[in-house]
Amino acid sequence: MPDVQALETSVLNAIAGASDEAALEAVRVSALGKKGAISELLKSLGGMSPEERKANGPLFNGLRDRVAAALAARKTALGEEALNARLAFEKIDVTLPARPEATGSIHPVSQVLDEVIAIFADLGFAVAEGPDVEFDDYNFTKLNIPPDHPARQMHDTFYLKEQADGSRHVLRTHTSPVQVRTMLKQKPPIRIIAPGRTYRVDSDATHSPMFHQFEGLVIDEVTNLGHLKWTMEEFCKAFFEVDEVELRARPSFFPFTEPSVEWDMRCDRSGGQIRFGTGNDWLELAGSGMVHPRVLEMCGIDPSRYQGYAFGAGIDRLAMLKYGAPDLRPFFESDLKWLRHFGFTALDLPTLAGGLSR
Ligand code: DAH
């Protein structure tokens, strides 16, 4: 007669010790499988006398039921453990930052602005700023354009409402008033560029009532036209990304410079394309000159000690030339198709070392 109690203890221990479902299944087969120890016991009932069967039947059946229940309970527990382990392993950290998808693009005007700043920063120029709504005095008078000067007519100015003192603010017609603002608050040496929005009553394929310029100003004890020319050349080489450029100086007139010079750059427009640095055509680049002594004086700088040069150029125009956009109007129409075509990747900041416009 087998020791039923000992068998039960050993099977229940094996069930408790089964560490996974496969191990538990092995225990089940060894106890309750066709040839399992408990199955054999139950089979042995058939060969017993009625008295023996009556005594052992409930014993064996009870053993089988308790073992079956223990197997089922352990199976449930193991299933839960496995699920918990998987959940812990597969958890997603929802606080992690999402990987940025590059959508949207940098407008060609912003791109050229960043390029211009990168180039002049490398030459030691600081960036200066002024407001879009400007004093008439800074936009005109202190730049040697007094109230009745004919040059005022050339500017197609947007005037604002009259002030109490009779003066009228203007939407600045150029970035040159930032020269005035800089000289009024800073002692020489001065070396700045001032990019920004400018406004004139003008609108066609190459003119917009709001457009962008950048201004340059250098004031020091020794400055001359040679420095100005070198600065223009260095800018053109870097901006148009060519090794050599040829500039042509044309005499010009601006009230705030004397002498005044306009710069053209040699280019090739044959074949419907523009190439910079070679060819038989000329591209208008910038107005410039030596700062007029009267301007220095009106801005509190002694013209007998200091001179300087200044220049101004259109940012939108440079963007059109460099990136082959024939019409200025779509620059300000927010047309997605145009923006996708002419836009730049947001994470590609222009640098001289890395390339301005890859
Ligand atoms: N302010 C001029 C314009 O808007 C451009 C310009 C010309 C700026 C000569 C300058 C300069 O600083 O020296 O047409």
Side-chain angles (χ1 to χ4, degrees):
M1 181 69 207
D3 184 347
V4 174
Q5 188 57 53
L7 178 63
E8 178 165 355
T9 307
S10 99
V11 173
L12 290 180
N13 282 343
I15 290 172
S19 59
D20 57 35
E21 290 194 22
L24 186 65
E25 174 64 8
V27 177
R28 188 194 67 79
V29 170
S30 75
L32 299 180
K34 249 195 195 136
K35 298 223 159 76
I38 297 172
S39 307
E40 293 295 340
L41 278 183
L42 288 165
K43 271 187 224 159
S44 71
L45 285 174
M48 289 181 185
S49 66
E51 289 76 15
E52 283 179 307
R53 203 179 303 140
K54 209 170 167 192
N56 286 317
L59 212 63
F60 294 176
N61 281 316
L63 169 63
R64 186 210 38 222
D65 292 346
R66 286 191 297 281
V67 166
L71 280 168
R74 183 72 186 134
K75 192 172 166 130
T76 308
L78 281 176
E80 264 172 29
E81 263 175 49
L83 180 64
N84 285 340
R86 226 179 88 198
L87 287 176
F89 179 71
E90 290 181 352
K91 79 177 169 208
I92 295 168
D93 185 354
V94 293
T95 65
L96 280 175
R99 192 169 299 163
E101 273 256 325
T103 53
S105 61
I106 299 298
H107 194 286
V109 168
S110 303
Q111 172 74 18
V112 166
L113 202 104
D114 287 343
E115 293 180 19
V116 168
I117 291 173
I119 295 167
F120 280 102
D122 190 60
L123 295 177
F125 286 65
V127 174
E129 284 184 312
D132 291 12
V133 175
E134 186 54 279
F135 298 119
D136 179 294
D137 185 42
Y138 289 7
N139 193 79
F140 292 124
T141 313
K142 282 195 167 46
L143 288 168
N144 201 26
I145 315 175
D148 47 3
H149 195 286
R152 287 203 177 202
Q153 264 71 65
M154 286 161 42
H155 279 227
D156 304 311
T157 311
F158 285 106
Y159 284 96
L160 277 75
K161 266 201 343 244
E162 210 169 278
Q163 304 286 296
D165 66 359
S167 72
R168 294 173 83 177
H169 294 343
V170 300
L171 292 183
R172 63 178 179 186
T173 58
H174 50 179
T175 41
S176 304
V178 184
Q179 290 188 28
V180 174
R181 289 177 171 275
T182 305
M183 287 188 275
L184 285 175
K185 67 163 193 267
Q186 192 184 322
K187 294 264 159 293
I190 290 171
R191 207 183 283 144
I192 55 126
I193 57 160
R197 291 196 181 102
T198 47
Y199 304 83
R200 289 187 201 179
V201 186
D202 208 353
S203 186
D204 59 37
T206 53
H207 295 89
S208 150
M210 187 281 296
F211 57 108
H212 301 83
Q213 286 190 336
F214 70 92
E215 191 77 15
L217 176 70
V218 173
I219 308 279
D220 210 332
E221 291 191 9
V222 184
T223 50
N224 59 45
L225 280 175
H227 298 150
L228 170 58
K229 181 176 189 223
W230 182 86
T231 308
M232 293 289 104
E233 282 171 351
E234 287 305 301
F235 169 72
C236 290
K237 280 196 264 186
F239 181 74
F240 292 107
E241 301 177 54
V242 287
D243 292 333
E244 282 308 319
V245 292
E246 187 184 336
L247 295 188
R248 172 173 87 174
R250 263 184 301 116
S252 184
F253 172 79
F254 300 102
F256 32 90
T257 44
E258 181 59 36
S260 300
V261 183
E262 280 188 68
W263 298 98
D264 303 334
M265 187 177 91
R266 189 181 280 284
C267 70
D268 183 1
R269 288 184 195 270
S270 61
Q273 262 203 338
I274 187 159
R275 285 192 297 144
F276 306 109
T278 60
N280 292 316
D281 300 301
W282 294 95
L283 182 86
E284 285 182 32
L285 266 184
S288 72
M290 300 305 294
V291 179
H292 199 294
R294 282 184 52 80
V295 172
L296 293 175
E297 218 172 339
M298 282 187 278
C299 295
I301 289 179
D302 178 3
S304 67
R305 179 160 174 213
Y306 294 105
Q307 319 109 39
Y309 60 86
F311 48 89
I315 290 177
D316 322 80
R317 227 179 76 78
L318 287 175
M320 289 168 78
L321 286 168
K322 184 167 177 181
Y323 296 115
D327 192 330
L328 180 62
R329 287 167 292 201
F331 273 66
F332 309 115
E333 281 170 357
S334 304
D335 174 5
L336 263 186
K337 236 170 92 186
W338 187 92
L339 289 169
R340 287 198 181 115
H341 179 74
F342 284 105
F344 292 81
T345 311
L347 298 176
D348 257 353
L349 288 182
T351 62
L352 288 182
L356 287 181
S357 64
R358 276 165 302 154

